[in-house]
Amino acid sequence: KKTGNELVDAIELELSKSPVLHDKLNIVYMKNFAAIETNPLGVFNLPDAIYVLGPDISREPRRLLLTLLSALGLGTTWYLSIYPFLLNPELMKRAEEQLSLAENAMPYDLSWLTELSFPLFISFLGIQLTHEVGHQIMAIAYDLNTTAPAFVPSFATGITSTVTGLKSPPKDVNQLFDFAVAGPLFGLLASLGVLYLGLQLTVQGDPALLPALPLAILRQSSLGGALIESVLGTGLLSVPDGAEASQAISSINIPLHPLAVSGFISIFVNALALLPIGVTDGGRMMQAIAGRLGKGFFGSITLTALLITGLQGDDLFLFYFFFCFLFQQGTEIPSRNEVDPLDYSRVVVGLLTGVLALLCIIPMQ
């Protein structure tokens, strides 16, 4: 056979003729990593091998854990939806007055805060579900079985990530790549669109009723910050040289429409998903591009960079490091054909997507 797909198709065709074996085996054509044990120097020239696996090759299900994580993720998302409103001095004063009444066993009313935060909550969840729509479009197109998405909580971004596992093997690395890249790309496009719409509404809104985000956080994304300044005014997020860590700068909050807040935070959530680590979407993409050994190499470098950046004071990166280190390690289930390389056009898409992710998480200068 000329290609790996033709070889696997031919074997599966023969198996389909057997009433006993047609749905009992999975054929995987991939590199023979066992050869490293006998010839460590041959790691870059491993022989091809055909593996015969059982019917269930999906990763071990953790339904209870993922259900609990999703419930907690919805809770932290609700927290994220309320917190920015409390950075508005007028709204914070109003909330403190109501809490003071509650402490003195007097009638109080915080329903107005719930009503204000609801658009932020819904729009943020909507963007994360758009991420999942991208995955499901590819899953339907390629007839892939997936797990239900789970929301992973975060006090920094509401949701750290959404986890969607593969229960059936993709045909080849092209399908694996398409499934992986579709989610973050859909999510990033939705994030940027919602952010832009929110910025337009910010211009028209009443600052006394708007949530706010700290200037230091808004400067954490070059792309997001540039979009904010393009709509609200050049120099809005600028700070004097050497003043980034000053007390005065850290206390500055910028009022934004709820849609702008949810769009900006979602940029980070989707961009981090593109980092090449473990079984994240970025890890799947790197596995399709550079193979399992290459993914492990770049993943280790990325995890180290996350840890170093986090220890220098970036809580978002530190939290994401621990999330990936504890829950997203390992490799994805094998594709039926992992020998044929990824299409060149998809390699280009992967590189461009990586650049986009870096623009989203590299701070403004």
Side-chain angles (χ1 to χ4, degrees), residues 30-37 43 46-47 49 51 291-293 338:
M30 60 189 299
K31 295 296 181 180
N32 182 9
F33 294 100
I36 298 177
E37 298 179 3
V43 64
L46 295 174
Y51 291 85
R292 293 176 178 271
L293 294 178
E338 293 194 1

Side-chain angles (χ1 to χ4, degrees), residues 177 181 285 289 345-355:
F177 179 88
V181 75
M285 291 169 59
I289 294 173
S345 60
R346 288 179 170 87
V347 175
V348 173
V349 170
L351 293 176
L352 294 177
T353 304
V355 171

Side-chain angles (χ1 to χ4, degrees), residues 16 20 40 44 90 122 127 139 141 162 197 204 225 232 242-243 292 295 311 319 335 360:
S16 67
V20 177
F44 297 107
E90 295 188 33
I122 293 299
I127 294 173
T162 52
L197 176 60
Q204 308 168 22
L232 301 185
R292 293 176 178 271
K295 191 280 297 287
L311 292 176
F319 188 91
S335 301
C360 290

Side-chain angles (χ1 to χ4, degrees), residues 62-317:
R62 295 171 291 178
R63 295 185 182 90
L64 179 59
L65 174 62
L66 294 178
T67 300
L68 293 175
L69 282 176
S70 292
L72 186 56
L74 292 176
T76 53
T77 299
W78 185 249
Y79 163 80
L80 170 73
S81 303
I82 293 177
Y83 177 72
F85 286 93
L86 300 180
L87 295 178
N88 182 318
E90 295 188 33
L91 295 178
M92 183 62 178
K93 180 180 179 181
R94 187 176 170 186
E96 288 176 339
E97 291 173 351
Q98 295 301 314
L99 291 174
S100 178
L101 292 174
E103 290 176 356
N104 291 282
M106 298 175 65
Y108 68 97
D109 181 16
L110 287 172
S111 60
W112 56 270
L113 184 57
T114 300
E115 293 173 0
L116 288 175
S117 61
F118 192 68
L120 201 164
F121 178 77
I122 293 299
S123 59
F124 182 78
L125 281 184
I127 294 173
Q128 311 320 312
L129 291 176
T130 301
H131 176 123
E132 291 307 313
V133 167
H135 285 317
Q136 292 308 313
I137 288 176
M138 290 296 103
I140 293 172
Y142 294 142
D143 195 24
L144 299 175
N145 294 323
T146 66
T147 64
F151 298 121
V152 180
S154 168
F155 286 105
T157 57
I159 289 175
T160 300
S161 176
T162 52
V163 176
T164 303
L166 284 169
K167 297 171 66 176
S168 60
K171 180 177 182 179
D172 52 28
V173 292
N174 292 314
Q175 288 192 2
L176 176 64
F177 179 88
D178 292 349
F179 174 81
V181 75
L185 274 186
F186 271 55
L188 275 177
L189 291 176
S191 301
L192 293 170
V194 170
L195 172 59
Y196 182 77
L197 176 60
L199 292 173
Q200 296 292 340
L201 294 173
T202 300
V203 177
Q204 308 168 22
D206 180 2
L209 297 175
L210 293 179
L213 285 178
L215 174 61
I217 289 180
L218 295 176
R219 288 180 52 81
Q220 289 300 304
S221 171
S222 294
L223 182 58
L227 187 56
I228 290 172
E229 288 197 333
S230 71
V231 176
L232 301 185
T234 302
L236 176 68
L237 305 182
S238 299
V239 297
D241 292 339
E244 291 86 350
S246 68
Q247 186 66 31
I249 296 300
S250 63
S251 63
I252 296 177
N253 299 315
I254 306 297
L256 297 170
H257 189 275
L259 293 185
V261 174
S262 63
F264 185 84
I265 298 299
S266 294
I267 286 176
F268 284 99
V269 175
N270 286 282
L272 288 174
L274 286 167
L275 297 181
I277 302 171
V279 291
T280 64
D281 292 325
R284 291 163 172 160
M285 291 169 59
M286 183 56 70
Q287 181 172 315
I289 294 173
R292 293 176 178 271
L293 294 178
K295 191 280 297 287
F297 173 76
F298 287 108
S300 298
I301 293 176
T302 306
L303 270 178
T304 302
L306 279 176
L307 178 59
I308 293 174
T309 306
L311 292 176
Q312 291 176 344
D314 195 311
D315 294 340
L316 173 61
F317 284 176

